[in-house]
Amino acid sequence: MTFCDGLQLLSAGSIGLLIGALLAEGAIFIPYWRSLPAETFYSLHKEYGPRLYRFFAPLTIIPSLLSIAAAGVSFLKADAGRWPTLVACVFFMCVLATYAGYFKHANARLASATLSANELSLELARWESWHWMRVVLGMFSFGAALLGLGAHA
């Protein structure tokens, strides 16, 4: 296994790990959050919001760095999987962009605990929509990363 192969494998694995965690979040946590009264949600968010951030931050940063490194090295080495690896990186940067473009601000609004029950319900619905969009983008990234690995077969 070459260094380039190893980077592509680590990139694909870390993307897959994050997407698996996001799928669990979407299937388990979001429906639960949306079922809670506002006061209960805010109480739980105060404690668990920072924990979720500490959990997801490295799971997001690591594949970002690895996908950039894998794409860069695969192009420098003229690797057979360079194009799918680049596509994986681009899709993952789109996943990352959802944080800067929506989630950072939305999470701050949720942490402020100032939204009315109706506003909270609307924000959680919007949050869920953005969440599933980033999951789909992440699945495309993961699929492209696997194609990059498969180019060596």
Side-chain angles (χ1 to χ4, degrees):
M1 176 180 286
T2 68
F3 178 70
C4 185
D5 296 340
L7 267 177
Q8 288 174 329
L9 181 62
L10 288 171
S11 175
S14 65
I15 292 167
L17 182 62
L18 173 64
I19 299 312
L22 289 174
L23 282 167
E25 181 181 39
I28 298 167
F29 288 117
I30 295 173
Y32 176 64
W33 295 334
R34 292 191 66 194
S35 74
L36 296 172
E39 308 78 39
T40 306
F41 173 84
Y42 287 134
S43 174
L44 290 172
H45 191 276
K46 184 177 181 177
E47 180 178 351
Y48 290 103
R51 289 182 185 188
L52 286 168
Y53 179 81
R54 286 190 304 272
F55 176 79
F56 278 105
L59 283 182
T60 304
I61 293 166
I62 291 168
S64 298
L65 298 174
L66 287 172
S67 69
I68 291 167
V73 170
S74 69
F75 268 87
L76 286 173
K77 299 287 185 181
D79 183 76
R82 67 186 172 274
W83 289 107
T85 302
L86 177 64
V87 169
C89 180
V90 169
F91 273 113
F92 199 82
M93 292 306 110
C94 291
V95 170
L96 198 59
T98 65
Y99 179 76
Y102 172 74
F103 288 104
K104 183 177 181 180
H105 176 70
N107 290 345
R109 287 187 68 194
L110 296 174
S112 73
T114 58
L115 300 174
S116 69
N118 188 49
E119 290 170 325
L120 176 61
S121 177
L122 292 171
E123 188 62 47
L124 287 175
R126 190 171 24 256
W127 200 99
E128 181 178 26
S129 295
W130 276 90
H131 175 79
W132 287 116
M133 182 181 67
R134 75 175 160 183
V135 168
V136 169
L137 290 167
M139 291 173 115
F140 282 125
S141 177
F142 183 58
L146 292 178
L147 286 174
L149 286 172
H152 301 164

